[in-house]
Amino acid sequence: FASKKTIDDSLIDEIEEVLFTADIGVKTADRLLNSVREAVDAKSLSDPKEVWKTLRSEARAILDGATDTRGTLPKEGEPKVIMVLGVNGTGKTTSIGKLAHRFVNEGHTVQLVAGDTFRAAAAEQLEHWGRRVGAKTVRGKEGADPASVVFDGVESAVVEKADIVLVDTAGRLHTQKNLMEELKKVRRVMGRAIDGAPHEVLMVLDATTGQNAIQQATMFNEATDVTGIILTKLDGTAKGGVVLGVCDALHIPIRYIGIGERVADLKDFDGAEFVEALFA
Amino acid sequence: TLYRGFKSAKTKLTGKTTLDETQIKEALRDVRLSLLEADVEFSVVKTFLKNVQEKAVGELVTTTIKHKGEKKKVSPADHFINICHDELAALMGPVDTSINFKKGSGITTIMMVGLQGAGKTTTTGKIANKLKAEGHKPLLVAADIYRPAAIDQLQVLGRQLNIPVFTIPNVAPPDLCEAALREARFDKHDVVIFDTAGRLTVDEALMGELSDIKDRARPDNIFLVLDAMTGQDAVTTAKSFDQRLDLTGCILTKLDGDARGGAALSVKAVTGKPIKFLGVGEQLDKLEEFRPEGLAGRILG
Ligand SMILES: Nc1nc2c(ncn2[C@@H]2O[C@H](COP(=O)(O)OP(=O)(O)OP(=O)(O)O)[C@@H](O)[C@H]2O)c(=O)[nH]1
Ligand SMILES: Nc1nc2c(ncn2[C@@H]2O[C@H](COP(=O)(O)OP(=O)(O)OP(=O)(O)O)[C@@H](O)[C@H]2O)c(=O)[nH]1
Ligand SMILES: [Mg+2]
Ligand SMILES: [Mg+2]
């Protein structure tokens, strides 16, 4: 490219190292570098500070391009139903506990549905959170059919006058066809219990995940129309840069971030803060 | 996808009767993209490419090449592919899937460590399952006293396997692990597996707790359990656990998915410790011994 004179190779190397070690990935790193080259050509930038500034604003633009108009509103007097899904161990059950805590503090009546009927002590784990935050937990027996537990759980929320229902699902790999079919069935069944449910489908993504996150988001979105992402474990050393690729490809907004294991460790996603930390 | 790096490198080289340095460099650019997409850590990729380049430039100027000790007429493209595969497998080896057992009648101890959600508790069950089938009498220790229902989870697994789980309410993990050894001696268990809580490497207190458990229980094996979908952070994490504890090996989980698994290469490269086992499913029989060739092919793509 013609601007070899204005950004030198060592700056490109430096930029690549920052991008790749933050899990930004080949495709997105290329896109960011190309926009930097265009900006350099257009304004003949030669000051590295300006180059980094351009990178940050381009990364910001990718995040802002994730439209926030997903999700629907419940009918008057009906509970809002939020489905939580994602691959194994990302922090779904814990994030539900944190969300429930926030909603209870905002004055809502929250009901938790233990839709993970497979994993050892999954319902016990959710019940613990329910007790902890002041939300009722509906569960079935271990090994019960998840769709019927979820149907009963969502339906009973109307009777219990809960205005927010959080549905936990078992972790699963997006490559497991039968489990992805099960997830679709669980989603359908919610709509039968309450017309229009789920109003939100939140996919939980672990910030330590590499490029596989893009395939995860693609497949879960295809199966269930994901309305938002919760990015967990940002209190660790991983930067979570892969979400740039996810937003760029699917335009799904990052809703919340998990920054710890305690009940209050959930924050609204802040694009500016995130990009700052990414390039720190 | 834009970059099918390794396949693209193969396609570009096919049909060539010799390869010059420029062509090798170009092929290596494709390999680089493939490895980065596979989550191999940035500096590990650099080292790998340098090694392959030296070998390739040295060996690819003739069309009769010694591969694996026998003279063969191999196309330069195939030979380049072989060098990449061999170099990757070499970086992940030598293979050592052994568990360190105490000589004689001592109690063999295994400590499971790693980040939150990596699969430690499930893998504890899998190892116990394997050892029981091999004639051992394992005891599981619920040393995660923090995570809601962690003890319940291990107890459920213990019931499924008909293997006892040791737990005492309100006892700190280092004391608990020491008490477990007394229980093991009393009840004639020959293997004890400590399932610890997930933790961040930047959590000084919890990393210190692991050092305390190690001091008190003197484990014969310390396995880092790492999720196969881990990205660049694999190096930071592995380095930190290894520097703190001197790991004896690593177990990569959730390989039944489609993560390329580059974290495996990163972990081996930065700690030098062997990859022992692979978790390939949620059920307790889904544990395999590590073999470099399979993972090498998956990482290269
Ligand atoms: N440090 C940190 N740990 C977290 C965070 N969110 C969850 N965790 C931990 O991650 C581990 C897994 O959390 P779970 O809530 O059980 O994850 P899950 O997705 O429900 O797991 P499965 O149901 O088995 O698929 C637990 O040890 C949590 O305490 C976070 O934001 N930061
Ligand atoms: N598909 C698949 N899932 C796995 C594998 N190993 C573990 N899991 C799942 O990953 C999730 C987390 O496993 P755990 O054993 O609870 O992980 P952990 O490291 O003990 O988690 P913490 O104690 O919270 O740090 C569960 O849903 C397991 O079933 C594997 O090899 N393949
Ligand atoms: Mg869960
Ligand atoms: Mg555990």
Side-chain angles (χ1 to χ4, degrees):
Chain A
F1 54 93
S3 43
K4 243 194 193 304
K5 280 221 246 79
T6 42
I7 344 173
D8 62 18
D9 281 348
S10 70
L11 181 58
I12 295 282
D13 284 350
E14 202 187 325
I15 292 173
E16 277 200 333
E17 179 154 6
V18 168
L19 296 182
F20 286 126
T21 56
D23 282 313
I24 285 179
V26 168
K27 191 156 176 244
T28 307
D30 235 28
R31 172 189 153 136
L32 290 175
L33 278 168
N34 282 334
S35 64
V36 162
R37 284 172 189 137
E38 283 174 20
V40 165
D41 287 344
K43 314 186 203 134
S44 20
L45 292 175
S46 53
D47 175 11
K49 275 216 196 72
E50 287 299 312
V51 173
W52 285 108
K53 196 151 162 272
T54 306
L55 268 173
R56 279 205 276 282
S57 64
E58 189 63 20
R60 233 355 255 291
I62 293 177
L63 292 174
D64 292 344
T67 53
D68 209 358
T69 54
R70 295 173 177 245
T72 57
L73 291 171
K75 296 203 182 69
E76 185 70 42
E78 283 195 334
K80 177 175 191 182
V81 180
I82 301 173
M83 178 183 190
V84 177
L85 43 77
V87 306
N88 309 69
T90 52
K92 298 177 290 301
T93 307
T94 307
S95 298
I96 287 176
K98 295 173 183 177
L99 283 170
H101 174 71
R102 169 188 284 224
F103 296 148
V104 166
N105 280 358
E106 290 172 354
H108 296 283
T109 304
V110 180
Q111 175 154 304
L112 309 182
V113 179
D116 180 354
T117 61
F118 169 75
R119 216 207 62 202
E124 283 74 13
Q125 185 186 5
L126 191 65
E127 283 177 316
H128 166 100
W129 283 109
R131 284 192 299 273
R132 178 78 222 286
V133 307
K136 174 162 187 285
T137 307
V138 175
R139 61 165 295 177
K141 288 210 193 74
E142 198 155 301
D145 170 36
S148 58
V149 172
V150 169
F151 182 87
D152 293 345
V154 173
E155 198 180 47
S156 71
V158 184
V159 174
E160 299 286 332
K161 302 229 182 359
D163 65 325
I164 297 188
V165 182
L166 289 157
V167 181
D168 194 12
T169 61
R172 70 205 64 218
L173 297 179
H174 50 283
T175 47
Q176 293 166 313
K177 288 210 165 61
N178 58 333
L179 294 183
M180 293 305 279
E181 285 307 309
E182 174 187 277
L183 201 63
K184 287 182 196 167
K185 180 174 180 207
V186 167
R187 189 189 195 286
R188 273 198 304 275
V189 136
M190 277 185 237
R192 283 191 215 126
I194 291 181
D195 188 38
H199 307 96
E200 290 229 40
V201 177
L202 299 179
M203 178 181 135
V204 180
L205 185 59
D206 186 328
T208 64
T209 307
Q211 298 311 302
N212 194 248
I214 301 189
Q215 191 56 8
Q216 289 176 26
T218 304
M219 301 300 281
F220 277 103
N221 186 44
E222 253 178 46
T224 60
D225 287 333
V226 174
T227 64
I229 288 172
I230 303 178
L231 184 65
T232 59
K233 309 178 197 173
L234 268 176
D235 46 322
T237 45
K239 301 234 165 147
V242 70
V243 298
L244 288 186
V246 172
C247 288
D248 201 19
L250 305 171
H251 306 291
I252 300 174
I254 315 297
R255 280 285 166 68
Y256 308 99
I257 60 172
I259 51 165
E261 301 187 73
R262 295 163 318 174
V263 80
D265 294 332
L266 186 84
K267 284 176 57 181
D268 288 346
F269 179 71
D270 181 319
E273 260 182 35
F274 182 77
V275 169
E276 219 33 55
L278 210 53
F279 288 95
Chain B
T1 63
L2 259 186
Y3 302 107
R4 287 172 295 112
F6 201 52
K7 291 199 182 74
S8 163
K10 280 190 214 179
T11 317
K12 285 184 188 157
L13 299 178
T14 302
K16 304 255 180 325
T17 49
T18 59
L19 286 186
D20 61 29
E21 255 194 80
T22 313
Q23 290 166 320
I24 292 173
K25 280 210 171 122
E26 197 177 314
L28 285 175
R29 262 201 290 279
D30 288 333
V31 174
R32 175 179 186 258
L33 295 177
S34 188
L35 292 179
L36 287 171
E37 286 208 313
D39 293 325
V40 180
E41 201 266 350
F42 193 72
S43 58
V44 175
V45 173
K46 268 199 193 148
T47 307
F48 173 81
L49 292 174
K50 184 166 143 297
N51 294 351
V52 170
Q53 172 153 356
E54 283 173 11
K55 247 202 174 146
V57 168
E59 294 182 17
L60 281 168
V61 287
T62 62
T63 51
T64 304
I65 301 138
K66 256 179 170 294
H67 182 242
K68 297 202 201 301
E70 32 173 58
K71 272 201 167 203
K72 280 180 151 185
K73 207 155 178 48
V74 187
S75 79
D78 285 342
H79 189 56
F80 179 79
I81 305 305
N82 285 337
I83 292 176
C84 286
H85 264 279
D86 292 351
E87 197 52 35
L88 203 62
L91 267 178
M92 287 199 287
V95 175
D96 169 13
T97 61
S98 67
I99 293 178
N100 298 334
F101 284 100
K102 278 234 170 52
K103 315 241 183 312
S105 64
I107 297 171
T108 295
T109 43
I110 302 172
M111 182 178 171
M112 310 287 285
V113 303
L115 298 176
Q116 290 89 345
K120 298 175 292 301
T121 304
T122 307
T123 308
T124 296
K126 291 178 183 180
I127 294 179
N129 182 37
K130 167 183 156 70
L131 292 177
K132 184 173 181 192
E134 292 170 359
H136 295 281
K137 193 177 169 209
L139 174 69
L140 304 183
V141 182
D144 177 356
I145 61 168
Y146 311 106
R147 173 180 146 151
I151 299 173
D152 297 64
Q153 185 185 1
L154 195 63
Q155 287 174 327
V156 170
L157 298 185
R159 274 199 297 278
Q160 287 174 0
L161 297 170
N162 199 13
I163 292 176
V165 175
F166 183 78
T167 173
I168 315 175
N170 304 317
V171 174
D175 301 312
L176 181 74
C177 292
E178 213 179 3
L181 291 177
R182 288 198 287 279
E183 166 77 5
R185 272 193 289 280
F186 178 74
D187 219 21
K188 307 241 180 354
H189 294 280
D190 65 332
V191 182
V192 175
I193 310 176
F194 305 113
D195 177 24
T196 69
R199 66 205 62 214
L200 299 174
T201 57
V202 289
D203 188 329
E204 260 310 310
L206 283 183
M207 290 304 280
E209 175 187 278
L210 286 182
S211 301
D212 290 343
I213 294 175
K214 179 180 179 179
D215 290 342
R216 304 277 287 283
R218 308 239 141 258
D220 306 294
N221 302 272
I222 304 181
F223 295 146
L224 172 66
V225 179
L226 188 73
D227 195 324
M229 63 182 96
T230 307
Q232 300 285 308
D233 191 57
V235 154
T236 313
T237 294
K239 225 186 242 171
S240 186
F241 277 102
D242 191 41
Q243 281 175 351
R244 178 76 64 143
L245 302 170
D246 190 14
L247 305 168
T248 62
C250 169
I251 300 175
L252 215 60
T253 61
K254 307 178 203 170
L255 269 163
D256 44 318
D258 60 1
R260 297 269 293 278
L265 186 60
S266 306
V267 171
K268 180 76 207 332
V270 85
T271 65
K273 303 296 165 68
I275 299 167
K276 297 276 181 180
F277 302 107
L278 308 176
V280 292
E282 291 190 81
Q283 290 75 10
L284 298 176
D285 59 349
K286 298 286 194 290
L287 189 74
E288 288 178 3
E289 292 196 343
F290 171 65
R291 275 182 27 257
E293 311 77 32
L295 202 47
R298 179 174 178 146
I299 292 174
L300 276 171

